[in-house]
């Protein structure tokens, strides 16, 4: 694997960073300890500017090149997940109920590795903006950073990000032009009837048959309302009702995740969900309250930037390990907000065999961090060649 020699020299130091971060996971916007660790490393490296407290705990650092020019943004998410770790590793989480089960500790390490190299070498023009972002898993920290003006404040022209991908061959990069990941919306439906004794259901208004009918009705949307060539997912993932076998409950609820790629499909899905739930509520004489969370938009790579990122990846790992026409997937990412604000691209980096993302046995493959750091560094040097 042709990792940049200087980055290979401090690969063990990067491993130490990553394993420290892994032991002290933080959730959502409350990544203050993580941010403090990042800032300490950045100061040691000699970055030119450090801006803290963005999106509560986010950090933006600036590295100046040899001459004036454009600013390239590189993003790493910092937050962990509310999961009890089951890796048994010496560097396992020391915080009960929290762990880095998605590899964001590895993403931070990749960006810190690139920062160390770029600070030392400065073989580029313009500037690099290092974007350390909280709340990717929940809260949309990417959107908050954009709303707080980081793109304009730091004059970012293009923005790039990487996500590790367990199960993909080690060192393989995957990306594509256009939509790479789906939008994600959530519907939580609360159905209210009239509770009572299960022996006298005629005196009650049972919300359970209404919920069952609603869920079945929702399953017809994809097969009967969405064009077959427009990918979409509607999965009901929770149903809760009742407390005892002899009680008709007063209330029931269910929740669903809704994912697609096109704005018009997204709007149609919401419209039909409301129509079906409200219609079934009337038919069953119950009331229904729908809490519909309009979540992350689709992650859509800009064509020129996706092609450019793939060309840099080929330089780092070789053409055989780069798939620039990967299939899109139904997962979602709040890097999408940054791509709405600026041209850029998002890539997956294979980390080889291992437990999948969001699994309690997941652990980031430390050998992948120098590969990701080398990609970030070469991307900057290629996009902003020294004069």
């Amino acid at each position: 694997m042709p990792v940049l020699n200087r980055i290979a020299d401090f690969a063990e130091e990067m491993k130490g960073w990553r394993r420290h971060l892994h032991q002290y996971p933080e959730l959502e916007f409350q990544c203050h300890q993580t941010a403090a660790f990042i800032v300490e490393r950045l100061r040691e490296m000699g970055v030119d500017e450090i801006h803290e407290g963005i999106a509560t705990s986010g950090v933006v650092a600036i590295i100046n090149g040899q001459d004036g020019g454009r600013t390239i943004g590189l993003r790493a998410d910092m937050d962990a997940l509310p999961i009890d770790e089951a890796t048994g590793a010496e560097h396992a989480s020391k915080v009960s109920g929290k762990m880095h089960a998605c590899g964001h500790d590895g993403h931070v390490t990749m960006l810190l590795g690139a920062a160390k190299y770029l600070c030392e070498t400065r073989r580029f023009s313009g500037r690099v903006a290092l974007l350390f972002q909280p709340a990717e898993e929940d809260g949309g920290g990417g959107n908050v950073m954009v709303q707080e003006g980081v793109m304009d404040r730091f004059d970012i022209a293009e923005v790039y990000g990487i996500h590790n991908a367990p199960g993909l061959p080690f060192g393989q990069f995957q990306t594509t032009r256009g939509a790479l990941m789906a939008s994600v919306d959530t519907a939580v439906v609360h159905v209210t009837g009239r509770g009572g004794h299960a022996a006298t259901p005629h005196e009650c208004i049972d919300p359970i048959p209404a919920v069952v009918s609603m869920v079945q009705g929702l399953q017809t949307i994809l097969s009967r309302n969405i064009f077959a060539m427009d990918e979409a997912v509607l999965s009901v993932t929770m149903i809760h009702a009742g407390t005892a076998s002899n009680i008709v409950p007063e209330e029931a609820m269910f929740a669903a995740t809704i994912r697609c790629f096109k704005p018009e499909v997204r709007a149609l899905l919401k419209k039909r969900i409301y129509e079906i739930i409200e219609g079934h509520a009337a038919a069953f004489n119950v009331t229904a309250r729908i809490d519909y969370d309009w979540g992350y938009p689709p992650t859509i790579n800009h064509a020129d930037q996706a092609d450019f990122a793939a060309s840099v990846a080929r330089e780092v790992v070789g053409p055989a390990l780069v798939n620039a026409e990967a299939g899109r997937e139904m997962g979602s990412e709040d890097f999408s907000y940054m791509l709405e604000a600026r041209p850029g691209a998002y890539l997956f980096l294979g980390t080889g065999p291992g437990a999948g993302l969001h699994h309690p046995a997941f652990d980031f493959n430390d050998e992948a961090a120098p590969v990701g750091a080398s990609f970030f560094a070469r991307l900057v040097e290629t996009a902003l060649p020294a004069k």
Side-chain angles (χ1 to χ4, degrees), residues 302-338:
H302 297 251
D304 290 346
Q305 284 70 29
D307 289 345
F308 171 68
S311 70
V312 172
R314 291 187 192 99
E315 180 183 341
V316 175
V317 299
L321 282 175
V322 178
N323 180 2
E325 297 180 354
R328 53 195 185 180
E329 65 169 66
M330 287 297 176
S332 64
E333 241 290 344
D334 76 343
F335 189 69
S336 54
Y337 293 106
M338 295 189 179

Short mmCIF file of all heavy atoms in Angstrom, two decimals, residues 302-338:
data_model
loop_
_atom_site.label_atom_id
_atom_site.label_comp_id
_atom_site.label_asym_id
_atom_site.label_seq_id
_atom_site.Cartn_x
_atom_site.Cartn_y
_atom_site.Cartn_z
N HIS A 302 -20.61 15.83 -6.29
CA HIS A 302 -20.49 16.64 -7.51
C HIS A 302 -19.59 15.89 -8.49
O HIS A 302 -18.54 15.35 -8.10
CB HIS A 302 -19.93 18.01 -7.17
CG HIS A 302 -20.83 18.80 -6.27
ND1 HIS A 302 -21.54 19.90 -6.69
CD2 HIS A 302 -21.16 18.64 -4.96
CE1 HIS A 302 -22.26 20.39 -5.70
NE2 HIS A 302 -22.05 19.63 -4.63
N ALA A 303 -19.98 15.86 -9.75
CA ALA A 303 -19.34 14.98 -10.73
C ALA A 303 -17.84 15.25 -10.87
O ALA A 303 -17.03 14.32 -10.79
CB ALA A 303 -20.04 15.12 -12.08
N ASP A 304 -17.46 16.51 -11.06
CA ASP A 304 -16.04 16.81 -11.27
C ASP A 304 -15.22 16.46 -10.04
O ASP A 304 -14.10 15.93 -10.14
CB ASP A 304 -15.86 18.29 -11.61
CG ASP A 304 -16.39 18.64 -12.99
OD1 ASP A 304 -16.65 17.71 -13.79
OD2 ASP A 304 -16.55 19.86 -13.26
N GLN A 305 -15.76 16.77 -8.86
CA GLN A 305 -15.01 16.50 -7.63
C GLN A 305 -14.93 15.00 -7.34
O GLN A 305 -13.92 14.52 -6.82
CB GLN A 305 -15.66 17.25 -6.46
CG GLN A 305 -15.36 18.75 -6.45
CD GLN A 305 -16.06 19.52 -7.57
OE1 GLN A 305 -17.14 19.12 -8.02
NE2 GLN A 305 -15.48 20.63 -8.00
N ALA A 306 -15.99 14.25 -7.68
CA ALA A 306 -15.94 12.80 -7.51
C ALA A 306 -14.88 12.18 -8.42
O ALA A 306 -14.12 11.29 -8.01
CB ALA A 306 -17.31 12.19 -7.79
N ASP A 307 -14.82 12.66 -9.66
CA ASP A 307 -13.80 12.16 -10.59
C ASP A 307 -12.40 12.51 -10.08
O ASP A 307 -11.47 11.68 -10.15
CB ASP A 307 -14.00 12.78 -11.97
CG ASP A 307 -15.24 12.24 -12.68
OD1 ASP A 307 -15.78 11.20 -12.24
OD2 ASP A 307 -15.66 12.87 -13.67
N PHE A 308 -12.24 13.72 -9.58
CA PHE A 308 -10.94 14.15 -9.07
C PHE A 308 -10.53 13.31 -7.86
O PHE A 308 -9.38 12.83 -7.78
CB PHE A 308 -10.98 15.63 -8.70
CG PHE A 308 -9.76 16.10 -7.97
CD1 PHE A 308 -8.54 16.17 -8.61
CD2 PHE A 308 -9.82 16.46 -6.63
CE1 PHE A 308 -7.39 16.60 -7.93
CE2 PHE A 308 -8.70 16.89 -5.95
CZ PHE A 308 -7.47 16.96 -6.60
N ALA A 309 -11.45 13.12 -6.92
CA ALA A 309 -11.13 12.33 -5.73
C ALA A 309 -10.74 10.91 -6.10
O ALA A 309 -9.81 10.33 -5.53
CB ALA A 309 -12.32 12.33 -4.77
N ALA A 310 -11.44 10.34 -7.08
CA ALA A 310 -11.11 8.97 -7.53
C ALA A 310 -9.71 8.93 -8.14
O ALA A 310 -8.96 7.96 -7.94
CB ALA A 310 -12.16 8.49 -8.52
N SER A 311 -9.35 9.98 -8.88
CA SER A 311 -8.01 9.99 -9.49
C SER A 311 -6.93 10.07 -8.42
O SER A 311 -5.87 9.43 -8.54
CB SER A 311 -7.89 11.17 -10.46
OG SER A 311 -7.86 12.42 -9.78
N VAL A 312 -7.18 10.84 -7.35
CA VAL A 312 -6.22 10.90 -6.24
C VAL A 312 -6.13 9.55 -5.54
O VAL A 312 -5.04 9.07 -5.21
CB VAL A 312 -6.62 12.00 -5.25
CG1 VAL A 312 -5.73 11.95 -4.00
CG2 VAL A 312 -6.54 13.37 -5.91
N ALA A 313 -7.28 8.91 -5.33
CA ALA A 313 -7.28 7.60 -4.69
C ALA A 313 -6.49 6.58 -5.50
O ALA A 313 -5.76 5.75 -4.94
CB ALA A 313 -8.72 7.12 -4.50
N ARG A 314 -6.60 6.65 -6.83
CA ARG A 314 -5.82 5.73 -7.68
C ARG A 314 -4.33 5.93 -7.48
O ARG A 314 -3.55 4.97 -7.51
CB ARG A 314 -6.19 5.93 -9.15
CG ARG A 314 -7.60 5.49 -9.51
CD ARG A 314 -7.85 5.57 -11.01
NE ARG A 314 -9.28 5.41 -11.28
CZ ARG A 314 -10.13 6.40 -11.51
NH1 ARG A 314 -9.67 7.67 -11.54
NH2 ARG A 314 -11.40 6.17 -11.73
N GLU A 315 -3.93 7.19 -7.30
CA GLU A 315 -2.52 7.48 -7.06
C GLU A 315 -2.05 6.88 -5.74
O GLU A 315 -0.91 6.42 -5.62
CB GLU A 315 -2.30 8.99 -7.07
CG GLU A 315 -0.86 9.40 -6.85
CD GLU A 315 -0.68 10.91 -6.79
OE1 GLU A 315 -1.57 11.63 -7.28
OE2 GLU A 315 0.35 11.37 -6.25
N VAL A 316 -2.92 6.88 -4.75
CA VAL A 316 -2.54 6.41 -3.42
C VAL A 316 -2.55 4.89 -3.33
O VAL A 316 -1.62 4.27 -2.79
CB VAL A 316 -3.47 7.02 -2.35
CG1 VAL A 316 -3.17 6.44 -0.96
CG2 VAL A 316 -3.32 8.53 -2.31
N VAL A 317 -3.60 4.24 -3.84
CA VAL A 317 -3.74 2.79 -3.64
C VAL A 317 -3.66 1.99 -4.93
O VAL A 317 -3.67 0.76 -4.88
CB VAL A 317 -5.08 2.46 -2.92
CG1 VAL A 317 -5.13 3.11 -1.56
CG2 VAL A 317 -6.28 2.86 -3.77
N GLY A 318 -3.60 2.64 -6.07
CA GLY A 318 -3.54 1.94 -7.34
C GLY A 318 -4.92 1.79 -7.97
O GLY A 318 -5.93 1.68 -7.26
N PRO A 319 -4.97 1.75 -9.31
CA PRO A 319 -6.26 1.69 -10.00
C PRO A 319 -7.12 0.50 -9.64
O PRO A 319 -8.35 0.58 -9.62
CB PRO A 319 -5.85 1.64 -11.49
CG PRO A 319 -4.49 2.25 -11.52
CD PRO A 319 -3.84 1.87 -10.23
N ALA A 320 -6.51 -0.63 -9.33
CA ALA A 320 -7.27 -1.85 -9.05
C ALA A 320 -8.10 -1.73 -7.78
O ALA A 320 -9.08 -2.47 -7.60
CB ALA A 320 -6.34 -3.05 -8.95
N LEU A 321 -7.73 -0.81 -6.90
CA LEU A 321 -8.41 -0.68 -5.62
C LEU A 321 -9.33 0.55 -5.57
O LEU A 321 -9.69 1.01 -4.49
CB LEU A 321 -7.41 -0.62 -4.47
CG LEU A 321 -6.81 -1.96 -4.05
CD1 LEU A 321 -5.74 -1.76 -2.99
CD2 LEU A 321 -7.89 -2.91 -3.55
N VAL A 322 -9.71 1.07 -6.73
CA VAL A 322 -10.61 2.22 -6.76
C VAL A 322 -11.81 1.90 -7.64
O VAL A 322 -11.66 1.55 -8.81
CB VAL A 322 -9.90 3.50 -7.29
CG1 VAL A 322 -10.90 4.66 -7.37
CG2 VAL A 322 -8.74 3.86 -6.38
N ASN A 323 -12.98 1.99 -7.06
CA ASN A 323 -14.24 1.81 -7.79
C ASN A 323 -14.95 3.17 -7.80
O ASN A 323 -15.52 3.58 -6.80
CB ASN A 323 -15.11 0.75 -7.13
CG ASN A 323 -16.43 0.55 -7.85
OD1 ASN A 323 -16.70 1.18 -8.88
ND2 ASN A 323 -17.29 -0.32 -7.33
N ALA A 324 -14.88 3.85 -8.94
CA ALA A 324 -15.47 5.19 -9.05
C ALA A 324 -16.90 5.14 -9.57
O ALA A 324 -17.50 6.19 -9.80
CB ALA A 324 -14.61 6.05 -9.97
N GLU A 325 -17.44 3.95 -9.73
CA GLU A 325 -18.83 3.78 -10.17
C GLU A 325 -19.56 2.83 -9.22
O GLU A 325 -20.29 1.94 -9.64
CB GLU A 325 -18.88 3.28 -11.61
CG GLU A 325 -18.26 4.26 -12.61
CD GLU A 325 -18.31 3.75 -14.03
OE1 GLU A 325 -18.72 2.59 -14.23
OE2 GLU A 325 -17.96 4.52 -14.94
N ALA A 326 -19.36 3.03 -7.95
CA ALA A 326 -19.97 2.18 -6.94
C ALA A 326 -21.48 2.40 -6.90
O ALA A 326 -21.98 3.49 -7.20
CB ALA A 326 -19.37 2.46 -5.57
N GLY A 327 -22.20 1.38 -6.52
CA GLY A 327 -23.64 1.53 -6.36
C GLY A 327 -23.96 2.41 -5.16
O GLY A 327 -23.25 2.43 -4.16
N ARG A 328 -25.04 3.16 -5.28
CA ARG A 328 -25.45 3.98 -4.15
C ARG A 328 -26.14 3.13 -3.10
O ARG A 328 -26.57 2.01 -3.38
CB ARG A 328 -26.35 5.12 -4.62
CG ARG A 328 -27.55 4.71 -5.45
CD ARG A 328 -28.12 5.92 -6.14
NE ARG A 328 -29.35 5.63 -6.87
CZ ARG A 328 -30.03 6.55 -7.54
NH1 ARG A 328 -29.60 7.81 -7.55
NH2 ARG A 328 -31.12 6.24 -8.18
N GLU A 329 -26.23 3.66 -1.88
CA GLU A 329 -26.77 2.86 -0.78
C GLU A 329 -27.77 3.66 0.03
O GLU A 329 -27.84 4.89 -0.06
CB GLU A 329 -25.65 2.35 0.11
CG GLU A 329 -24.87 3.43 0.83
CD GLU A 329 -23.95 2.86 1.89
OE1 GLU A 329 -23.00 2.14 1.52
OE2 GLU A 329 -24.21 3.12 3.08
N MET A 330 -28.56 2.94 0.84
CA MET A 330 -29.66 3.55 1.57
C MET A 330 -29.25 4.11 2.93
O MET A 330 -30.09 4.64 3.65
CB MET A 330 -30.80 2.54 1.74
CG MET A 330 -31.55 2.28 0.46
SD MET A 330 -32.37 3.77 -0.14
CE MET A 330 -33.07 3.19 -1.68
N GLY A 331 -27.99 3.98 3.30
CA GLY A 331 -27.52 4.68 4.49
C GLY A 331 -27.55 6.18 4.25
O GLY A 331 -27.76 6.65 3.12
N SER A 332 -27.32 6.95 5.30
CA SER A 332 -27.38 8.41 5.17
C SER A 332 -26.23 9.05 5.93
O SER A 332 -25.59 8.42 6.78
CB SER A 332 -28.72 8.94 5.68
OG SER A 332 -28.85 8.68 7.07
N GLU A 333 -25.98 10.33 5.63
CA GLU A 333 -24.82 11.05 6.15
C GLU A 333 -25.13 12.54 6.19
O GLU A 333 -25.64 13.09 5.23
CB GLU A 333 -23.62 10.83 5.21
CG GLU A 333 -22.43 10.15 5.82
CD GLU A 333 -21.67 10.99 6.82
OE1 GLU A 333 -21.87 12.23 6.86
OE2 GLU A 333 -20.86 10.41 7.56
N ASP A 334 -24.76 13.20 7.27
CA ASP A 334 -25.00 14.64 7.29
C ASP A 334 -23.89 15.44 6.61
O ASP A 334 -23.96 16.67 6.55
CB ASP A 334 -25.28 15.15 8.70
CG ASP A 334 -24.05 15.27 9.58
OD1 ASP A 334 -23.01 14.68 9.25
OD2 ASP A 334 -24.13 15.95 10.62
N PHE A 335 -22.90 14.76 6.05
CA PHE A 335 -21.98 15.42 5.12
C PHE A 335 -22.75 15.96 3.92
O PHE A 335 -22.28 16.84 3.20
CB PHE A 335 -20.89 14.45 4.67
CG PHE A 335 -19.78 15.08 3.88
CD1 PHE A 335 -18.88 15.94 4.48
CD2 PHE A 335 -19.62 14.82 2.53
CE1 PHE A 335 -17.84 16.52 3.75
CE2 PHE A 335 -18.61 15.39 1.79
CZ PHE A 335 -17.71 16.25 2.40
N SER A 336 -23.96 15.43 3.72
CA SER A 336 -24.82 15.88 2.64
C SER A 336 -25.05 17.39 2.70
O SER A 336 -25.15 18.05 1.65
CB SER A 336 -26.17 15.15 2.71
OG SER A 336 -26.75 15.29 4.01
N TYR A 337 -25.16 17.95 3.90
CA TYR A 337 -25.38 19.40 4.03
C TYR A 337 -24.17 20.18 3.51
O TYR A 337 -24.33 21.25 2.90
CB TYR A 337 -25.65 19.77 5.48
CG TYR A 337 -26.94 19.23 6.03
CD1 TYR A 337 -26.95 18.16 6.92
CD2 TYR A 337 -28.16 19.79 5.67
CE1 TYR A 337 -28.14 17.66 7.44
CE2 TYR A 337 -29.35 19.29 6.19
CZ TYR A 337 -29.33 18.23 7.06
OH TYR A 337 -30.51 17.74 7.57
N MET A 338 -22.98 19.67 3.76
CA MET A 338 -21.79 20.35 3.26
C MET A 338 -21.72 20.28 1.75
O MET A 338 -21.29 21.25 1.09
CB MET A 338 -20.54 19.74 3.91
CG MET A 338 -20.47 19.96 5.42
SD MET A 338 -18.89 19.47 6.13
CE MET A 338 -19.18 19.88 7.87
#
